[in-house]
Amino acid sequence: MNVITSVDKAPERAQAEEALATLKAWATSATQEEIEALDPAVSRLLSQTAAYPEFNRSYPDDFAVGDTYHASLPDLQNGPSSLIRGAQQQIQHVGISNFRLPIGFHTRDAGDLILETSVTGSVSLEADKKGINMSRIMRSFYKHAERTFSFEVIEAALDDYKADLDSMDARIQMRFSFPMKIESLRSGLSGYQYYDVALELVEKDGVRQKMIHLDYVYSSTCPCSLELSEHARATRGQLATPHSQRSVARISAVINCDGNCLWFEDLIDACRRAVPTETQVMVKREDEQAFAELNAANPIFVEDAARLFCEQLLAEPRVGDFRVIASHQESLHSHDAISVLTEGSTFEMQSIDPKLFNTLFHVG
């Protein structure tokens, strides 16, 4: 009896390579119709393997960019208006936010300081322009960053990138944390308090304004809660404590300085005169007791805080228009108490940013 065995054996790689070479050789003289007639899959196979360039996969360390090569590089941001997508409309602000570098600052009490600074720079963009080269903002600022800081240095940087980017309006804002040594209330200890400060230079329609923004953190004791606590003590002999909470005021002001600088420390001192219950750095038991007494001597509603800060700013000739935003982050309620007070037209707000008061939280 004869037994016939059929064995299906998969082709080896060498056989596949030989078949592919044969297929490629045939395809060089075949028409596209002949290739499609053989099998549509052949066309797809050949398109992936035939005439595909071999790219260099190593980084060319020695490659240098010459003038001719540089001129050949595409620059879509400076392309024609036909490349604009969306409405052909002017953009009021376009630029970069939060690029950081060390900047030197003059201080009233501690000489010069080098502080890490976050810079936001933007310009207006006309309706018929595609975009801007944003690196020019950084390059313009770096040209002046190593000079000891002043508003004149910001102005020089603004002049540079306003000219480089051919813009009508421009603005620079610099944010940093300003350290100031503070003594405790009674123990004689001292420690550094850090203040969030931003300096801003804005040019609009050819007019420049210098502004400062300062976050001042303080404790606010509720006057109503204080009176109710004392009533419980006096009428029923019941121990009760008034509620108080960490609070933040953001002071924004136009600076009017004609040779007489408004120092960071000057604005901080004005805030302390308005609301002396600033949160403490170094605290021993005698300091904690003193702080409780200081709060009892200065109970304030959020409305009081806004008006007390306003009183000090109105008395400062180096301050023009200003805005006070106060947030008392309640220990009694599950919500905050807030107030906004403006003087002059610069900081008037028809609409409030939905996240504005979320930014007033102090996280230490």
Side-chain angles (χ1 to χ4, degrees), residues 180-193 195 272 276 278-284 287 290-291 294:
M180 190 171 175
K181 186 169 280 191
I182 305 298
E183 288 193 4
S184 60
L185 293 172
R186 286 179 180 158
S187 66
L189 298 175
S190 62
Y192 281 99
Q193 190 81 274
Y195 300 89
R272 288 204 193 105
E278 182 179 20
T279 55
Q280 301 295 294
V281 181
M282 301 294 286
V283 175
K284 296 180 71 173
D287 300 311
F291 193 62
L294 186 63

Side-chain angles (χ1 to χ4, degrees), residues 327-347:
S327 175
H328 289 190
Q329 291 145 28
E330 295 277 324
S331 62
L332 170 63
H333 301 293
S334 297
H335 55 264
D336 303 332
I338 56 95
S339 64
V340 179
L341 184 156
T342 64
E343 172 69 18
S345 60
T346 302
F347 299 103

Side-chain angles (χ1 to χ4, degrees), residues 193-212:
Q193 190 81 274
Y194 284 83
Y195 300 89
D196 289 339
V197 177
L199 298 175
E200 190 170 15
L201 179 65
V202 176
E203 179 171 324
K204 184 173 177 59
D205 298 329
V207 178
R208 288 189 176 181
Q209 282 187 312
K210 301 174 184 178
M211 305 176 198
I212 186 170

Side-chain angles (χ1 to χ4, degrees), residues 61-134:
D61 293 287
D62 56 348
F63 178 73
V65 177
D67 292 339
T68 302
Y69 185 85
H70 186 272
S72 73
L73 293 173
D75 187 1
L76 293 181
Q77 288 295 74
N78 285 322
S81 59
S82 60
L83 295 177
I84 292 175
R85 301 185 63 187
Q88 195 161 319
Q89 190 90 355
Q90 183 190 38
I91 300 177
Q92 285 74 35
H93 298 264
V94 60
I96 58 176
S97 174
N98 197 34
F99 84 85
R100 294 178 295 171
L101 69 170
I103 296 288
F105 293 87
H106 286 314
T107 72
R108 187 190 67 186
D109 301 331
D112 291 347
L113 296 176
I114 303 295
L115 301 175
E116 179 185 303
T117 304
S118 170
V119 177
T120 295
S122 66
V123 294
S124 61
L125 182 66
E126 299 308 306
D128 61 346
K129 293 182 180 178
K130 168 66 175 174
I132 67 169
N133 292 117
M134 296 190 181

Side-chain angles (χ1 to χ4, degrees), residues 174-326:
M174 304 202 319
R175 294 185 294 109
F176 52 93
S177 186
F178 179 70
M180 190 171 175
K181 186 169 280 191
I182 305 298
E183 288 193 4
S184 60
L185 293 172
R186 286 179 180 158
S187 66
L189 298 175
S190 62
Y192 281 99
Q193 190 81 274
Y194 284 83
Y195 300 89
D196 289 339
V197 177
L199 298 175
E200 190 170 15
L201 179 65
V202 176
E203 179 171 324
K204 184 173 177 59
D205 298 329
V207 178
R208 288 189 176 181
Q209 282 187 312
K210 301 174 184 178
M211 305 176 198
I212 186 170
H213 308 270
L214 166 73
D215 281 7
Y216 178 74
V217 185
Y218 59 99
S219 173
S220 58
T221 294
C222 173
C224 183
S225 182
L226 178 60
E227 293 296 327
L228 291 172
S229 297
E230 291 306 305
H231 180 272
R233 291 170 182 263
T235 61
R236 295 185 291 115
Q238 176 62 46
L239 180 64
T241 60
H243 78 85
S244 60
Q245 51 274 319
R246 186 182 291 178
S247 305
V248 180
R250 179 165 297 154
I251 310 299
S252 300
V254 175
I255 300 175
N256 294 329
C257 289
D258 294 324
N260 186 15
C261 178
L262 177 69
W263 298 98
F264 307 136
E265 295 96 328
D266 293 339
L267 190 56
I268 293 166
D269 287 346
C271 289
R272 288 204 193 105
R273 290 192 298 270
V275 179
T277 51
E278 182 179 20
T279 55
Q280 301 295 294
V281 181
M282 301 294 286
V283 175
K284 296 180 71 173
R285 285 177 297 170
E286 57 266 39
D287 300 311
E288 187 167 353
Q289 184 182 63
F291 193 62
E293 295 172 16
L294 186 63
N295 272 268
N298 295 275
I300 50 170
F301 294 118
V302 73
E303 301 93 330
D304 300 322
R307 288 171 173 150
L308 287 165
F309 289 119
C310 173
E311 182 179 43
Q312 291 297 319
L313 294 170
L314 288 172
E316 174 54 71
R318 292 169 293 181
V319 167
D321 290 357
F322 61 81
R323 178 183 63 203
V324 176
I325 304 174

